[in-house]
Amino acid sequence: MAHDTDLETGPPLEAAQPGDETPERLAEALTRASWRLRRSERAELAPHGLTFAQARALRVLVEHGPMRMVDLAETLEIVPRTATARVDGLEEAGFVQRTPDPDDRRSIRVSATSDGADLISRLAAQRRRSAESLFAPLGPSDRSELLRLLMLVTEAV
């Protein structure tokens, strides 16, 4: 199985020729593009010892506000015990806090701290810069077509 760095530093993909549009070639190109976007996010997360999965959970909390753990798990489409593990690391790093749910004493609400919101803001800025760099060779119509195609294949899943 390839490691993350293999996808980033492997040999460059050769220019596509007619008939080269195999699912494997498409998957390889899409994977490489994705890893280029994630490289800067990884650099921002590394000093905090956080994973992409934890960053996603934090992003959900920043965007949606405080939520019960079970609702966070549902939003992330994971089981509650996995959400608990993700929140544990985020809480240890100071990016989220747990408080009793005022509507249900048996439940815990999780919310992003100001440090967590700041981290998500920095990650969003880096993602924007990375995307600008990655898509710089594409003109507006190419970008529109790429977005249309990506939406088409991701909606089919």
Side-chain angles (χ1 to χ4, degrees):
M1 185 168 156
H3 296 287
D4 299 347
T5 54
D6 295 338
L7 298 171
E8 295 171 20
T9 60
L13 291 175
E14 296 176 17
Q17 302 298 316
D20 264 357
E21 305 84 10
T22 65
E24 296 84 5
R25 185 165 168 93
L26 291 168
E28 177 69 14
L30 186 58
T31 300
R32 285 182 183 218
S34 174
W35 279 111
R36 281 192 55 198
L37 290 173
R38 292 183 105 181
R39 188 179 303 141
S40 64
E41 187 173 359
R42 183 183 316 116
E44 184 71 31
L45 293 173
H48 307 290
L50 298 181
T51 65
F52 290 118
Q54 288 171 316
R56 181 171 173 248
L58 181 57
R59 191 169 22 259
V60 164
L61 291 168
V62 168
E63 290 172 2
H64 296 281
M67 355 177 57
R68 293 180 311 143
M69 190 72 75
V70 68
D71 296 328
L72 177 61
E74 185 177 306
T75 302
L76 295 172
E77 299 178 343
I78 58 177
V79 296
R81 74 174 181 274
T82 302
T84 298
R86 288 187 189 168
V87 168
D88 287 345
L90 291 168
E91 184 177 42
E92 187 176 311
F95 296 125
V96 301
Q97 63 184 8
R98 289 177 165 111
T99 56
D101 186 332
D103 300 323
D104 181 356
R105 293 185 338 191
R106 297 170 295 164
S107 294
I108 298 293
R109 290 174 63 94
V110 183
S111 59
T113 63
S114 60
D115 286 346
D118 289 346
L119 176 61
I120 291 303
S121 178
R122 289 194 311 270
L123 290 173
Q126 282 193 334
R127 179 175 282 183
R128 197 170 25 262
R129 287 189 300 272
S130 294
E132 287 169 0
S133 173
L134 179 67
F135 299 119
L138 302 179
S141 64
D142 289 334
R143 289 178 186 206
S144 179
E145 180 65 3
L146 178 58
L147 179 59
R148 185 189 71 76
L149 294 170
L150 289 172
M151 296 300 290
L152 181 66
V153 298
T154 57
E155 292 295 321
V157 175

